């Protein structure tokens, strides 16, 4: 799926870990290491992250796994997992999010984006806040 051979991607945790995108590492690796270390963290995981392909590009991965065996100390000795390349669906999602955030005609931030941002500022109790928008058709709105 990623273009590696058994020689370039040995079946070791470190082989997998070094190919995870730096921005995703903190959300993926510690969680999985915790699950491996102790049943107190559960026996299953599911996460999405980017992995480097053999050609240097990044693939979006949906990773799911289950601990199937632990030693007497509770550490996982066998984990079975499934990686699915979800790059195409992630690209579609990013495109749709961009359409929601930006006006397709002007490329400027959309009313939906401004409404969401105002809601975030409201939750943070940032005061005072005012957002005014003007449409290219002469219409306007205020949040």
């Amino acid at each position: 799926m990623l273009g590696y051979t058994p020689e370039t991607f040995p079946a070791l945790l470190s082989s997998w870990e070094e190919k995870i995108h730096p921005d995703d590492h903190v959300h993926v690796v510690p969680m999985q290491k915790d699950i491996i270390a102790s049943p107190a963290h559960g026996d299953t995981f599911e996460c999405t992250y980017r992995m480097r392909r053999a050609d240097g590009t990044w693939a979006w991965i949906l990773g799911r796994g289950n601990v199937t065996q632990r030693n007497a100390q509770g550490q996982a000795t066998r984990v079975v997992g499934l990686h699915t390349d979800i790059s195409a669906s992630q690209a579609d999602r990013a495109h749709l999010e961009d359409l929601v955030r930006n006006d397709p005609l002007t490329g400027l931030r959309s009313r939906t984006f401004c409404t969401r941002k105002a809601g975030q500022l409201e939750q943070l109790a940032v005061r005072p806040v005012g957002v005014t928008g003007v449409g290219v058709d002469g219409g306007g709105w205020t949040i």
Side-chain angles (χ1 to χ4, degrees):
M1 175 174 66
L2 298 173
Y4 294 102
T5 65
E7 294 76 31
T8 59
F9 198 138
L12 300 169
L13 179 63
S14 59
S15 298
W16 166 77
E17 187 176 352
E18 68 189 17
K19 291 169 182 58
I20 294 176
H21 192 282
D23 293 344
D24 301 332
H25 195 276
V26 70
H27 304 291
V28 176
V29 175
M31 176 263 301
Q32 291 190 27
K33 284 186 174 182
D34 286 346
I35 290 170
I36 290 168
S38 169
H41 299 283
D43 285 330
T44 62
F45 63 87
E46 181 175 309
C47 51
T48 57
Y49 55 94
R50 291 161 288 181
M51 281 189 78
R52 186 180 312 108
R53 293 182 178 111
D55 66 7
T57 62
W58 295 100
W60 275 100
I61 301 296
L62 169 61
R64 294 180 176 143
N66 187 49
V67 175
T68 60
Q69 186 176 355
R70 292 187 181 274
N71 62 20
Q73 293 77 35
Q75 296 173 330
T77 56
R78 183 170 177 85
V79 178
V80 176
L82 174 67
H83 286 157
T84 305
D85 185 341
I86 59 169
S87 299
S89 62
Q90 285 296 106
D92 291 344
R93 178 182 172 184
H95 176 68
L96 291 173
E97 287 176 354
D98 189 54
L99 289 175
V100 169
R101 282 192 301 267
N102 300 308
D103 178 80
L105 179 61
T106 65
L108 300 173
R109 293 294 191 197
S110 68
R111 181 176 183 169
T112 301
F113 172 84
C114 292
T115 301
R116 287 183 176 178
K117 184 58 78 174
Q120 291 171 352
L121 294 172
E122 181 68 26
Q123 287 181 348
L124 295 172
V126 174
R127 300 279 191 278
V129 172
V131 179
T132 302
V134 177
V136 294
D137 62 357
W141 43 270
T142 303
I143 301 173

